[in-house]
């Protein structure tokens, strides 16, 4: 009999193919693998008995991946020839695989509690022979790993800080209660040692918890749980959390769990009591920790990573404008070069842009650009020219003189990017908001906000349109005058932005018959924006993102 | 038959938002029960260009909006067939950005317009920024509008059951901007 395993895999990396090949080879199965776009099909041919034992091997040895969307198994008649091969000669550099974990956890195994192994699928650390533990004046070399982990866990439990070398670099770990928050520190990094209790500290969805445990072992941002926040241990609103990505941290976590410790904080520098080091590890081989965001649709967006095909970097660097560079890589990554695609690039770090790509265009067509006003004074003057603008401004001045005054002090030359985020900053200032529109919206408990006007200046052409920001500011002012609170108005700004995107897509679609919409830039990793964008265009258009390439570059 | 009740209006300008407020009010107050027909309510204010593909999916349309008419007083209510609008009525879709008349005419030219009725009301123009406050005239008119819709739906074999009898049009006007429609069949 021939079984077909169908995997929907939203990455161009070969990890899944490599694991499938390795598992089939180890079981001596006859198999073929085909890949077509996001679909990887794995065919195995065996008798019923072998098949059923193989099914359980797959279940235990195939790691979960954040890129794996769907799996289905069915009985088929034929086995097509493979069109993709595993990388057989390469040593992979991945967090521990299920097999290595089994070895380290099984008391019968010779590698029981040994964090250093050699494995063709994940990491090769067999040259590391022992820990070098320094505590006070004492320096000890030991390979009695279980004892070391037990001892360190109880020291951490007592409140000591441990500087630990890991396969991803050296960090100082301590329990959360000892955390000294640095106000300049942007994010607080946590290692969750027990995913079952993650919700005690942060607000995490099931898909996000699953993602933390996946083979990629990503780092992800979470909002602090309100109950935990009230204990006043941590002040920061956002916490960057990951799960152990090597066996060193995994085995340490196992001992910590036994002591009721579910989280450690970690940082790169600072004071510590104990140092744990090892030799014979090439830092160049260190495991990179990708930063991800899991969207509502269970889709993983890569925020930071070095695990993409380097040829995409060449594509990226061949284009000067960031938005076009991201768009081009996205087209390559999704094999869309023959299609008609509209890209929205919305970023907190660059100029925004909406552009259209089609094969016969030999380039891109800019649909929309933003132009920032030079000063808040200019904004008010423009509002005054609008119908009923004068009255609005007069009423607003009467009711909120302070907001007007503070807004006029806002020096717009600090806004470096012609982007919607810059316009939101202008709105925040004029509306006297205490927090940013994005933060406010993310905290709003409502599903629907007031309608904020996102308009384009009238123009007969569909390219090079200009954004009418005056309406954007005016409508916010009207809602504030009507007594709507800051958070709800902010939600309106976010929700209406999604409608705006959908309107532009409809307009362009009328002329160009789009085959998809692509979204790039870090703003699309925002939960609320992503939610509304999918809600308003998801039904009518197929949505594409970058796959392994970052959604927004940092350079 | 799938019936669409579409409210149009700019809620930032008091009475001019009545179309939107009124459909939220009807949505909050009633459930719509029918063996053969379904009733979907839409606040058209948030949809802009999406109105055309929306409307053509339905078999019957009731648009609620502000209108102007000769010899009329604020609060006067008109209910008429879109194809046979009374001569005295001047309806530009209440001069909102959603040009309703133009939109419906476009659909009609394509031959896709379902039988359409307009429930129009004359607004009172107030020049201040009290946004969600409705005039007494329009509050009184909302009663007539409600009875008109109920009667008309009954003639289409739809009966109404009260869901939230306490709701008033003026209370709804304060919150409709952030309210989600319940009677949304998702057609
Ligand atoms: Zn392994």
């Amino acid at each position: 009999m021939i079984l077909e395993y169908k995997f929907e895999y939203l990455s161009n990396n070969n990890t899944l193919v490599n694991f499938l090949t390795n598992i089939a080879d180890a079981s001596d199965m006859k198999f073929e693998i085909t890949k077509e776009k996001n679909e990887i099909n794995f065919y195995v041919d065996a008798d019923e008995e072998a098949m059923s034992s193989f099914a359980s091997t797959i279940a235990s040895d195939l790691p979960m991946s954040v890129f794996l969307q769907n799996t289905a198994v069915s009985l088929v008649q034929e086995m097509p020839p493979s069109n993709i091969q595993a990388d057989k000669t390469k040593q992979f550099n991945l967090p521990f695989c299920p097999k290595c974990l089994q070895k380290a956890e099984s008391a019968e195994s010779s590698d029981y509690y040994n964090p250093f192994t050699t494995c063709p699928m994940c990491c090769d650390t067999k040259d590391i022979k022992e820990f070098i533990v320094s505590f006070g004046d004492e320096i000890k070399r030991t390979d009695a790993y279980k004892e070391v982990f037990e001892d360190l866990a109880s020291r951490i439990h007592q409140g000591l800080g441990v500087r630990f070398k890991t396969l991803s670099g050296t960090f100082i770990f301590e329990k959360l209660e000892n955390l000294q928050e640095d106000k300049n520190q942007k994010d607080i990094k946590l290692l969750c040692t027990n995913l079952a209790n993650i919700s005690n500290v942060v607000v995490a969805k099931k898909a996000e918890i699953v993602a933390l445990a996946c083979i990629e072992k990503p780092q992800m941002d979470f909002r602090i749980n309100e109950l935990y926040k009230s204990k006043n241990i941590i002040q920061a609103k956002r916490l960057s959390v990951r799960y152990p990505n090597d066996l060193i941290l995994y085995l340490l976590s196992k001992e910590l769990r036994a002591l009721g410790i579910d989280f450690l904080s970690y940082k790169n520098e600072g004071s510590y009591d104990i140092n744990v080091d090892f030799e014979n590890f090439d830092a160049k081989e260190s495991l990179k920790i990708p930063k991800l965001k899991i969207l509502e649709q269970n889709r993983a967006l890569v925020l930071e990573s070095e695990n993409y095909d380097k040829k995409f970097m060449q594509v990226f660097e061949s284009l000067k404008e960031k938005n076009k560079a991201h768009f081009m890589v996205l087209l390559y990554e999704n094999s869309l070069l023959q299609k008609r695609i509209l890209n929205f690039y919305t970023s907190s770090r660059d100029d925004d842009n909406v552009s259209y790509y089609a094969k016969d265009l030999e380039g891109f067509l800019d649909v929309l650009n933003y132009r920032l006003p030079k000063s808040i004074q200019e904004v008010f003057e423009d509002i005054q020219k609008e119908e009923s603008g004068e009255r609005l401004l007069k009423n607003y001045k009467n009711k909120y003189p302070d907001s007007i005054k503070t807004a006029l002090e806002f020096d717009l030359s600090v806004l470096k990017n012609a982007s919607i985020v810059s316009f939101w900053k202008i709105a925040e200032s004029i509306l006297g908001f205490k927090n940013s529109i994005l933060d406010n919206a993310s905290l709003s408990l409502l599903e629907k906000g007031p309608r904020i006007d996102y308009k384009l200046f009238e123009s007969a052409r569909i390219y090079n349109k200009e954004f009418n920001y005056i309406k954007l500011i005016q409508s916010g002012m009207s809602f504030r005058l009507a007594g709507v609170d800051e958070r709800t108005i902010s939600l309106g700004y976010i929700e209406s932005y999604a409608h705006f995107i959908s309107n532009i897509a409809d307009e362009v679609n009328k002329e160009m018959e789009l085959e998809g919409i692509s979204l790039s830039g870090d703003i699309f990793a925002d939960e609320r924006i992503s939610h509304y964008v999918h809600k308003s265009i998801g039904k009518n258009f197929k949505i594409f993102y970058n796959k392994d390439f970052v959604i927004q570059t940092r350079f | 038959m799938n019936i669409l009740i579409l409210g149009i209006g700019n809620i930032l300008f008091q009475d001019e938002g009545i179309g939107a407020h009124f459909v939220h009010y009807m949505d909050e107050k009633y459930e719509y029960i029918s063996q053969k027909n379904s009733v979907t309510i839409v606040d058209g204010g948030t949809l802009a260009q999406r109105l055309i593909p929306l409307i053509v999916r339905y078999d019957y349309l009731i648009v609620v909006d502000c209108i102007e008419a000769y010899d009329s007083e604020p609060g006067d209510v008109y209910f008429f067939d879109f194809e046979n609008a009374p001569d005295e009525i001047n309806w530009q879709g209440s001069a909102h950005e959603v040009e309703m008349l133009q939109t419906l005419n476009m659909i009609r030219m394509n031959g896709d317009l379902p039988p359409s009725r307009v429930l129009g009301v004359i607004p009172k123009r107030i020049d201040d920024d009290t946004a969600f406050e409705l005039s007494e005239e329009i509050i009184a008119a909302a009663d007539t509008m409600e009875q008109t819709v109920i009667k008309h739906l009954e003639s289409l074999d739809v009966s109404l059951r009260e869901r939230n009898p306490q709701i008033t049009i003026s209370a709804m006007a304060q919150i409709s901007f952030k309210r989600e429609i319940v009677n949304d069949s998702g057609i």
Side-chain angles (χ1 to χ4, degrees):
Chain A
M1 65 192 278
I2 300 167
L3 272 194
E4 177 198 64
Y5 288 79
K6 249 187 200 315
F7 300 96
E8 192 191 357
Y9 190 66
L10 303 184
S11 162
N12 290 328
N13 74 28
N14 224 16
T15 306
L16 179 61
V17 171
N18 292 338
F19 271 99
L20 290 170
T21 306
N22 177 269
I23 294 167
D25 280 345
S27 303
D28 231 353
M29 297 292 270
K30 205 175 144 211
F31 71 96
E32 303 285 348
I33 303 179
T34 63
K35 183 179 179 194
E36 182 65 42
K37 285 189 180 155
N38 293 331
E39 207 169 85
I40 291 177
N41 292 337
F42 175 56
Y43 301 87
V44 272
D45 188 357
D47 60 43
E48 214 172 317
E49 199 180 324
M51 203 65 101
S52 103
S53 86
F54 182 67
S56 56
T57 310
I58 280 227
S60 69
D61 292 357
L62 186 67
M64 280 294 296
S65 163
V66 295
F67 299 113
L68 191 57
Q69 292 289 91
N70 285 304
T71 317
V73 190
S74 58
L75 204 58
V76 293
Q77 293 304 314
E78 274 170 49
M79 191 140 114
S82 293
N83 64 8
I84 186 160
Q85 307 295 328
D87 320 290
K88 288 210 166 157
T89 51
K90 209 168 118 194
Q91 168 63 48
F92 305 113
N93 202 7
L94 285 171
F96 57 89
C97 74
K99 267 190 189 168
C100 289
L101 181 64
Q102 284 156 28
K103 271 193 275 177
E105 286 201 303
S106 147
E108 292 89 56
S109 153
S110 58
D111 278 320
Y112 183 49
Y113 262 85
N114 181 359
F116 306 116
T117 57
T118 177
C119 168
M121 299 313 295
C122 56
C123 244
D124 182 5
T125 50
K126 64 175 183 305
D127 294 337
I128 307 173
K129 301 294 183 201
E130 59 195 2
F131 277 149
I132 307 162
V133 184
S134 329
F135 186 12
D137 299 334
E138 194 190 336
I139 300 177
K140 192 170 71 179
R141 286 177 174 263
T142 174
D143 66 352
Y145 299 116
K146 187 157 191 344
E147 279 166 40
V148 175
F149 287 125
E150 280 169 357
D151 184 48
L152 290 173
S154 81
R155 301 284 187 187
I156 289 171
H157 186 244
Q158 287 160 20
L160 299 191
V162 177
R163 183 167 181 267
F164 224 123
K165 187 164 177 176
T166 73
L167 300 191
S168 298
T170 302
F171 308 101
I172 298 153
F173 295 90
E174 56 192 341
K175 61 177 181 179
L176 281 197
E177 290 77 0
N178 287 19
L179 180 67
Q180 301 278 338
E181 256 178 281
D182 178 355
K183 286 217 172 60
N184 300 320
Q185 199 178 338
K186 263 202 174 143
D187 54 345
I188 301 227
K189 291 198 174 75
L190 301 183
L191 182 80
C192 180
T193 56
N194 186 4
L195 290 176
N197 290 343
I198 188 172
S199 301
N200 293 346
V201 175
V202 296
V203 182
K205 297 194 193 83
K206 192 167 169 254
E208 292 171 322
I209 302 172
V210 170
L212 284 173
C214 279
I215 185 75
E216 292 80 11
K217 298 289 182 292
Q219 181 182 318
M220 298 187 339
D221 279 348
F222 292 92
R223 214 164 63 221
I224 189 166
N225 170 322
E226 285 301 319
L227 192 69
Y228 190 78
K229 191 163 185 239
S230 69
K231 294 182 183 168
N232 280 322
I233 294 166
I234 298 179
Q235 302 302 319
K237 283 183 200 149
R238 291 204 169 268
L239 304 172
S240 178
V241 180
R242 66 182 177 103
Y243 188 64
N245 66 335
D246 61 20
L247 288 171
I248 305 168
L249 291 179
Y250 182 85
L251 294 167
L252 175 67
S253 297
K254 216 171 140 85
E255 298 306 320
L256 289 163
R257 274 203 295 272
L259 299 172
I261 295 179
D262 299 328
F263 277 94
L264 295 180
S265 74
Y266 69 94
K267 51 192 175 191
N268 295 51
E269 280 161 30
S271 60
Y272 53 89
D273 305 289
I274 304 172
N275 188 47
V276 184
D277 197 3
F278 49 79
E279 291 161 346
N280 301 322
F281 179 69
D282 185 353
K284 271 186 289 191
E285 298 294 308
S286 73
L287 280 178
K288 304 285 183 286
I289 305 167
K291 187 165 183 182
L292 299 184
K293 172 81 197 172
I294 304 293
L295 297 182
E296 203 173 81
Q297 299 72 22
N298 223 353
R299 167 88 204 218
L301 292 188
V302 180
L303 305 179
E304 288 169 33
S305 161
E306 290 170 36
N307 306 324
Y308 49 83
D309 192 330
K310 296 298 172 276
K311 76 177 178 218
F312 291 133
M313 205 55 225
Q314 287 171 5
V315 174
F316 188 84
E317 281 168 349
S318 70
L319 287 146
K320 217 165 73 192
E321 279 175 75
K322 280 275 183 66
N323 66 78
K324 303 292 184 312
H326 272 285
F327 190 12
M328 201 63 194
V329 173
L330 190 150
L331 292 169
Y332 270 100
E333 281 194 298
N334 290 284
S335 314
L336 295 172
L337 292 166
Q338 307 298 321
K339 306 277 185 195
R340 294 180 300 277
I341 307 290
L342 184 68
N343 182 61
F344 290 86
Y345 183 75
T346 309
S347 161
S348 66
R349 296 191 204 121
D350 300 308
D351 290 354
D352 284 0
N353 177 273
V354 181
S355 51
Y356 169 73
Y357 168 90
K359 187 181 163 243
D360 41 15
L361 205 63
E362 287 173 10
F364 303 97
L365 196 63
D366 277 338
V367 173
L368 167 67
N369 283 305
Y370 294 95
R371 186 192 62 83
L372 291 179
K374 298 213 164 35
S375 66
I376 295 284
Q377 189 56 41
E378 183 186 331
V379 178
F380 288 148
E381 278 163 18
D382 282 346
I383 291 177
Q384 210 134 21
K385 287 180 207 149
E386 292 287 303
E387 193 197 332
S388 76
E390 199 165 340
R391 186 168 55 101
L392 173 72
L393 205 57
K394 199 178 116 227
N395 289 336
Y396 196 83
K397 269 183 185 155
N398 282 336
K399 204 160 170 192
Y400 305 109
D402 292 349
S403 296
I404 296 269
K405 197 169 153 268
T406 334
L408 284 169
E409 285 160 11
F410 182 25
D411 176 9
L412 295 194
S413 69
V414 303
L415 299 177
K416 295 291 175 232
N417 307 313
S419 66
I420 204 68
V421 172
S422 293
F423 283 116
W424 287 340
K425 285 185 180 147
I426 294 173
E428 286 156 15
S429 148
I430 292 175
L431 297 175
F433 283 3
K434 290 185 190 68
N435 296 301
S436 77
I437 282 174
L438 273 170
D439 279 349
N440 281 328
S442 79
L443 292 170
S444 171
L445 300 173
L446 299 171
E447 169 62 21
K448 184 174 173 290
R451 183 168 59 120
I452 298 294
D453 291 334
Y454 285 79
K455 304 271 170 201
L456 298 176
F457 284 112
E458 286 294 330
S459 146
R461 16 163 245 238
I462 68 150
Y463 54 90
N464 279 338
K465 292 205 180 214
E466 207 191 311
F467 181 62
N468 181 352
Y469 75 90
I470 307 152
K471 293 280 176 198
L472 182 87
I473 308 292
Q474 250 187 322
S475 47
M477 290 165 73
S478 299
F479 279 109
R480 190 180 182 206
L481 275 172
V484 181
D485 65 283
E486 174 176 335
R487 220 174 247 187
T488 306
I489 296 177
S490 298
L491 186 68
Y493 270 95
I494 298 303
E495 186 191 9
S496 304
Y497 180 60
H499 291 148
F500 174 57
I501 286 180
S502 131
N503 286 337
I504 294 176
D506 284 351
E507 285 292 304
V508 177
N509 188 42
K510 261 191 251 164
E511 307 285 325
M512 308 294 197
E513 285 181 55
L514 295 172
E515 291 169 280
I517 303 280
S518 62
L519 305 174
S520 56
D522 58 346
I523 294 301
F524 289 114
D526 178 87
E527 240 159 87
R528 270 293 164 109
I529 292 206
S530 165
H531 167 77
Y532 289 128
V533 169
H534 277 263
K535 199 170 152 185
S536 56
I537 65 173
K539 262 190 223 161
N540 299 8
F541 299 100
K542 196 163 168 29
I543 299 176
F544 297 94
Y545 293 98
N546 280 108
K547 285 178 151 184
D548 304 290
F549 200 74
V550 288
I551 187 167
Q552 168 85 64
T553 45
R554 287 185 162 269
F555 31 91
Chain B
M1 178 166 85
N2 296 315
I3 303 164
L4 174 65
I5 304 178
L6 178 63
I8 304 289
N10 188 340
I11 58 163
L12 281 171
F13 298 107
Q14 303 91 13
D15 285 4
E16 280 190 44
I18 186 65
H21 297 315
F22 180 75
V23 296
H24 273 284
Y25 167 78
M26 292 299 284
D27 180 60
E28 175 69 25
K29 189 162 179 181
Y30 297 106
E31 264 178 275
Y32 300 80
I33 301 143
S34 173
Q35 291 284 330
K36 294 179 293 206
N37 301 329
S38 77
V39 173
T40 300
I41 295 179
V42 168
D43 169 0
T46 55
L47 284 150
Q49 285 103 320
R50 281 278 163 87
L51 286 176
I52 296 176
L54 176 88
I55 290 170
V56 300
R57 287 201 292 270
Y58 288 85
D59 310 305
Y60 197 92
L61 173 68
I62 300 172
V63 181
V64 188
D65 200 354
C66 288
I67 53 168
E68 284 170 16
Y70 299 113
D71 283 335
S72 64
E73 298 288 331
D76 286 356
V77 176
Y78 294 78
F79 190 52
F80 55 90
D81 210 12
F82 174 69
E83 306 277 357
N84 297 303
D87 290 342
E88 71 266 31
I89 291 197
N90 169 19
W91 181 47
Q92 291 298 330
S94 64
H96 318 311
E97 296 133 70
V98 185
E99 285 133 1
M100 207 49 219
L101 183 67
Q102 196 190 331
T103 305
L104 293 185
N105 276 330
M106 253 163 77
I107 305 175
R108 183 171 56 181
M109 280 185 318
N110 285 334
D112 292 333
L113 189 68
S116 302
R117 310 271 309 180
V118 178
L119 178 63
V121 59
I122 312 289
K124 186 172 179 179
R125 313 243 171 226
I126 317 162
D127 257 7
D128 61 19
D129 282 287
T130 49
F132 310 145
E133 305 291 337
L134 301 176
S135 69
E136 277 172 35
E137 289 88 341
I138 214 94
I139 292 170
D143 255 346
T144 317
M145 294 164 75
E146 184 176 348
Q147 294 317 315
T148 308
V149 171
I150 294 174
K151 224 184 265 168
H152 192 69
L153 286 178
E154 278 169 354
S155 77
L156 299 172
D157 257 345
V158 179
S159 58
L160 284 68
R161 186 192 299 155
E162 282 193 320
R163 218 167 59 87
N164 178 2
Q166 267 81 46
I167 189 71
T168 64
I169 189 76
S170 8
M172 183 50 74
Q174 298 292 328
I175 58 162
S176 64
F177 72 89
K178 57 180 176 184
R179 187 183 171 278
E180 279 187 285
I181 295 286
V182 182
N183 291 289
D184 173 11
S185 66
I187 291 169

